[in-house]
Amino acid sequence: MKKLLKSAYARFVAPAIHRRCLADMMAASADFSSVRWEGRVLWQNPLDLWRIHESVLELRPRLIVETGTNEGGTALYLAHLLDQIGHGRILTMDIKEVDGLDHPRVRFIRGRSIDGEAVETARAEAAGRSPVLVLLDSDHSAAYVREEMDRYAPLVTPGSWLLVQNGVIDQLPHLRGTRPGPLPAIRDFLRDHPDFEVDHERCGRYLLTHHPMGWLRRAQTVAATSSRERKMGSPRRFE
Ligand SMILES: C[S@@+](CC[C@H](N)C(=O)[O-])C[C@H]1O[C@@H](n2cnc3c(N)ncnc32)[C@H](O)[C@@H]1O
């Protein structure tokens, strides 16, 4: 009986409590939209930011690609982390201009993240660099996220992550107006890409996350073949 209650708590009660707490935190902080790093707005849930910080120090990336710069606080934060490591660059992009984002490790480009120019720039930056970490934080609609995943997942080096942000849109009742968000895109992508899997520990460590199922780890080995490639009978590509 005790085991049954524990399992019911873990499956149904705890997730509901976590979502309620997260919704209250978002209401109290205008969805963390004025969190700052050294005075510059960085639009992240601080618990998720801490997981990013831990992941960057663990991975020691040579390149981080961020789609959706906003005011550039996260790009600057990442640059300071890379300063500690002593290597690495950040490519960040947005459809709107960003003022005063000035750090030698940061390159900003203006444009839609799925457009050819942005994707080509990212490919050129990634060429010969490893590890590469990708953070998708621009347009969070399902169709757009899926397009972004197709274009940027190939840049993620084996063992690194593709972080698809804001899947919380598909979970919290007050965000239902902006659905479908990233979660259906992630599920769809995973069906086609068995070389990626959800890093559940990374997603769930601090419980109150904006990015459920968001940390996708690329396998170290080349064992898997995507369903699309199996159908086409083509050899496996690892760009
Ligand atoms: C949630 S904010 C990004 C927050 C930022 N990553 C941070 O951590 O502070 C989303 C940003 O994506 C940008 N954006 C929206 N659609 C975009 C697109 N198609 N391509 C590139 N950027 C886009 C918006 O202008 C906005 O600045």
Side-chain angles (χ1 to χ4, degrees), residues 22 25-26 29-35 42-46 210:
L22 182 58
M25 282 167 78
M26 289 164 76
S29 65
D31 190 15
F32 303 105
S33 58
S34 57
V35 175
L42 156 163
W43 195 350
Q44 299 281 344
N45 169 339
H210 271 52

Side-chain angles (χ1 to χ4, degrees), residues 18-19 22 47 203-210:
H18 300 156
R19 283 173 199 177
L22 182 58
L47 292 171
C203 300
R205 164 75 66 89
Y206 301 123
L207 301 179
L208 307 183
T209 180
H210 271 52

Side-chain angles (χ1 to χ4, degrees), residues 72-87:
T74 294
L76 187 64
Y77 174 76
L78 294 170
H80 291 163
L81 288 181
L82 294 183
D83 281 344
Q84 284 180 40
I85 293 171
H87 68 234

Side-chain angles (χ1 to χ4, degrees), residues 43-44 66 68 70 74 94-96 111-113 137-138 144:
W43 195 350
Q44 299 281 344
E66 179 195 41
N70 195 37
T74 294
D94 205 292
I95 45 175
K96 62 179 190 189
R112 275 178 98 222
S113 58
D137 193 20
S138 66
Y144 193 88

